Amino acid sequence: MYKKCIFLLVIFSIRSISAFSQKEVQEKLFSSNLQDTVHYNVFLPLNSEAENGMPTIYAIKYGMIEGSYIAAQLRYFQDANYPIPKTIVVTIRADMDRTGFSYRTGGLTNTGSKFIACLKEEIIPAVEKKYHTAKFRTYLGHSYSASYATYMMQHEPELFRGYILLATEQVGVDYSLQTSSREKTSQPLFQLNKDDTNFYNSTTTFCYAATGVYDENRRKNYAQELIRNFNSLDSSHFISTYDSIPGGNHTNILTTAIQPALEFIYKLYDPAYGYEQGNEHNAWDLFAKAKKRTMEVYGISASKNFNWSRPFLQQAATNKDTSALTKIFSDLNTDSLKDYQLLRAATLYFNAGEKNSAKRYYEQVISRALARKSQQYDASLDGAYQGIALNIYAGEPELAWGYLQKSIDMVYVPDKFGANNIDNYFIVGEFAVNNNYNVETGLGYLLKYLQLRQNVNDAIHNPYYRVYYKIAEGYHLLKKRDKAREYVQRSLASRNDFQPAKDLMIKLK
């Protein structure tokens, strides 16, 4: 009963999530090989119209394979900025008879051979022609359809560059017999011929095999044995791994393994692959090398993706290499960057010592935000005001102050949750005290912050010892020693090892 409930829960989850998946297109073609119509569904990423040459995942709709779920997961990974490219998902409707794969022999029936020809000569070309896909194709299978991949790997190696094999059923066993009398055949488990070995040793291919810790031992053993068979191949070209999924079983393996599977298949797309940030690295050279790798392996370019380019931008900023920074940014479509990304661009240029470029990005955020005329708090607009004030006009308090007043005005604009960003009172008050500029006004902001501070979550706002200390500093600058002493004592009572407060107390004695 427990297993049945889990099964129903997984099915419900897969079906309900389809509402959030990518765009689904129902396709069909008449196969001259099969002399029958074949139906398949294509799931396109959102905003895929602007993309060119996306990789594809093909799957036989068997077992727990559900295209809408895979597509929804891919969309989530995009939204969460995982290093996984936009990918088209194709699920083909075919049962065991049409697929024609034999567990006992590892070979195909006559219909199965025709189906392979249909896949190779008709379905894949039709998808690639209509959707202008990249040449990098992955096959994803579960249970029987995962075992089916072993035939393609041995006899049609050019079809796919990636394989995701989930809970692969053991091949070389006659399952038509009763459980007690099932025997392995003398058929070799997995054997590549010389030509296929040469092919895999010269073309980058990925194979991810996984079973759940609660799956049958025969499936676990078979998946591990498959991976061991690949050890003779060149591991720099044939990249394979076995994964045991905690909490996984034969039913939930798709939901539990999809993330590590995709991360493995696309590991060479990850800009962090083989990358260690350090001053000795040339950011532009690293960027160009990573771009070349993704094109060679996957046939795609990630050059227009800010998040993908971020480690190289950060490296350039660390090196204060404004030339590399500008070259990388010029390779991006900066008009498509979101406001928070423009803010990061401004910060990168500022850290690299290029204030003019930083200011330009801050002003671009401000211009965009004001054009929207939103009545809701805009964190990017607020960040741009503070960025210009605290970075561009650092040391020029009279110029910075005007932007900080705009930041103060935004305290009164509630965010989408109805909350107000009271921390602006502290930021502007601290600026006034630190720069000995408009201290009385700044002190008023700090006191206002202290008042409002009592009504918010303690963990995510400035600690009391720091707030008390800044108020004490403000009173000290205004020569109000008694009030300064009162607040520095509060600071030390909140944190007795806070050295700045200790130093100020000595001055006030």
Side-chain angles (χ1 to χ4, degrees):
M1 182 65 184
Y2 172 76
K3 290 184 177 179
K4 182 178 180 182
C5 290
I6 292 294
F7 176 79
L8 292 174
L9 178 61
V10 171
I11 292 295
F12 174 78
S13 299
I14 288 176
R15 288 176 177 172
S16 62
I17 203 169
S18 64
F20 303 99
S21 65
Q22 304 166 330
K23 179 182 177 182
E24 181 179 358
V25 182
Q26 295 183 357
E27 299 276 17
K28 65 180 180 180
L29 58 79
F30 181 81
S31 169
S32 59
N33 286 290
L34 291 165
Q35 288 297 299
D36 196 4
T37 299
V38 178
H39 296 263
Y40 58 97
N41 291 5
V42 178
F43 298 85
L44 300 172
L46 295 179
N47 303 317
S48 60
E49 297 81 4
E51 300 289 334
N52 215 350
M54 287 177 287
T56 46
I57 293 176
Y58 288 82
I60 307 298
K61 200 171 186 320
Y62 176 90
M64 299 310 299
I65 297 300
E66 180 58 59
S68 59
Y69 177 80
I70 300 167
Q73 286 298 104
L74 282 160
R75 178 182 175 183
Y76 172 80
F77 296 145
Q78 283 291 313
D79 291 343
N81 297 321
Y82 283 58
I84 294 173
K86 286 185 177 180
T87 301
I88 294 173
V89 178
V90 182
T91 55
I92 304 164
R93 283 185 252 174
D95 59 14
M96 293 178 73
D97 285 334
R98 171 156 284 183
T99 307
F101 176 71
S102 168
Y103 280 131
R104 184 175 62 82
T105 67
L108 299 181
T109 63
N110 183 48
T111 300
S113 296
K114 292 177 180 179
F115 179 73
I116 278 282
C118 171
L119 178 64
K120 182 178 180 179
E121 300 168 8
E122 297 170 317
I123 296 176
I124 289 176
V127 170
E128 292 186 343
K129 181 179 180 180
K130 181 172 181 178
Y131 298 103
H132 309 290
T133 66
K135 292 300 182 182
F136 187 86
R137 301 185 290 265
T138 295
Y139 176 82
L140 188 159
H142 171 245
S143 192
Y144 171 81
S145 66
S147 304
Y148 177 55
T150 63
Y151 176 87
M152 292 186 285
M153 295 175 79
Q154 293 175 90
H155 302 285
E156 302 288 348
E158 75 285 354
L159 276 184
F160 299 101
R161 295 276 56 77
Y163 294 91
I164 299 174
L165 311 181
L166 305 178
T168 312
E169 190 58 88
Q170 189 173 19
V171 176
V173 175
D174 190 347
Y175 288 100
S176 66
L177 302 176
Q178 294 295 324
T179 303
S180 59
S181 59
R182 286 175 184 169
E183 293 182 358
K184 287 187 178 182
T185 68
S186 58
Q187 181 82 8
L189 172 73
F190 188 90
Q191 188 172 9
L192 296 172
N193 62 42
K194 184 177 179 181
D195 289 341
D196 291 342
T197 298
N198 291 337
F199 179 85
Y200 285 128
N201 284 341
S202 61
T203 307
T204 304
T205 304
F206 303 85
C207 180
Y208 175 89
T211 54
V213 295
Y214 298 118
D215 208 335
E216 298 289 342
N217 284 330
R218 70 173 187 272
R219 298 188 185 110
K220 298 178 188 178
N221 295 335
Y222 182 64
Q224 293 176 66
E225 194 169 347
L226 269 179
I227 296 302
R228 283 196 295 272
N229 270 267
F230 301 142
N231 289 341
S232 62
L233 297 172
D234 178 3
S235 61
S236 64
H237 285 94
F238 194 96
I239 305 170
S240 61
T241 192
Y242 167 75
D243 206 357
S244 179
I245 305 297
N249 57 48
H250 203 65
T251 301
N252 69 12
I253 188 69
L254 176 65
T255 63
T256 52
I258 190 66
Q259 179 180 335
L262 290 171
E263 287 177 337
F264 182 82
I265 295 296
Y266 289 124
K267 67 187 298 181
L268 296 188
Y269 176 84
D270 187 345
Y273 178 80
Y275 173 85
E276 293 181 8
Q277 189 166 340
N279 291 331
E280 72 277 8
H281 297 302
N282 181 291
W284 173 253
D285 288 347
L286 290 171
F287 177 74
K289 182 179 178 181
K291 271 186 62 180
K292 181 181 179 182
R293 182 183 71 233
T294 59
M295 180 58 70
E296 289 177 348
V297 175
Y298 301 103
I300 57 177
S301 172
S303 63
K304 305 302 179 185
N305 187 315
F306 178 89
N307 291 302
W308 188 88
S309 303
R310 188 189 311 164
F312 311 107
L313 294 167
Q314 291 173 335
Q315 181 68 64
T318 298
N319 294 349
K320 299 194 180 303
D321 186 348
T322 55
S323 173
L325 199 59
T326 298
K327 281 164 57 173
I328 296 171
F329 267 119
S330 68
D331 203 70
L332 300 176
N333 181 6
T334 52
D335 290 338
S336 68
L337 297 185
K338 298 177 181 178
D339 286 354
Y340 77 90
Q341 293 172 329
L342 291 174
L343 276 183
R344 289 178 181 174
T347 301
L348 288 166
Y349 269 108
F350 176 76
N351 291 341
E354 179 54 62
K355 284 189 176 183
N356 289 334
S357 296
K359 185 180 179 184
R360 185 175 71 250
Y361 280 112
Y362 284 133
E363 289 175 339
Q364 189 174 349
V365 173
I366 293 171
S367 177
R368 279 188 183 184
L370 294 180
R372 288 194 293 268
K373 298 180 180 179
S374 174
Q375 300 301 308
Q376 196 173 82
Y377 173 77
D378 188 326
S380 294
L381 177 59
D382 200 5
Y385 285 146
Q386 292 181 19
I388 289 182
L390 303 178
N391 292 336
I392 306 304
Y393 292 133
E396 300 179 79
E398 65 282 357
L399 293 175
W401 191 253
Y403 285 96
L404 290 175
Q405 291 308 294
K406 294 177 185 294
S407 187
I408 285 292
D409 291 340
M410 296 194 70
V411 174
Y412 305 100
V413 182
D415 64 15
K416 62 183 179 181
F417 303 108
N420 297 91
N421 185 21
I422 66 169
D423 283 323
N424 285 4
Y425 282 128
F426 180 83
I427 291 168
V428 180
E430 182 181 45
F431 174 88
V433 171
N434 288 349
N435 289 274
N436 197 10
Y437 184 84
N438 283 345
V439 175
E440 191 165 355
T441 301
L443 182 59
Y445 291 147
L446 290 170
L447 291 168
K448 180 69 172 177
Y449 180 72
L450 181 61
Q451 176 190 350
L452 297 172
R453 177 72 176 73
Q454 302 171 38
N455 303 318
V456 295
N457 189 310
D458 192 62
I460 61 174
H461 295 275
N462 291 285
Y464 277 108
Y465 70 85
R466 190 177 169 197
V467 180
Y468 291 140
Y469 169 69
K470 281 299 165 187
I471 293 173
E473 270 199 309
Y475 278 125
H476 180 56
L477 290 172
L478 295 175
K479 303 187 185 307
K480 297 182 179 181
R481 294 174 63 85
D482 290 344
K483 296 296 289 184
R485 191 177 293 108
E486 174 190 341
Y487 280 94
V488 80
Q489 286 172 343
R490 289 192 188 186
S491 178
L492 290 170
S494 180
R495 180 178 166 181
N496 60 15
D497 65 342
F498 187 46
Q499 192 60 46
K502 286 179 163 184
D503 295 340
L504 182 56
M505 178 60 82
I506 292 172
K507 294 179 181 178
L508 292 170
K509 285 183 178 178

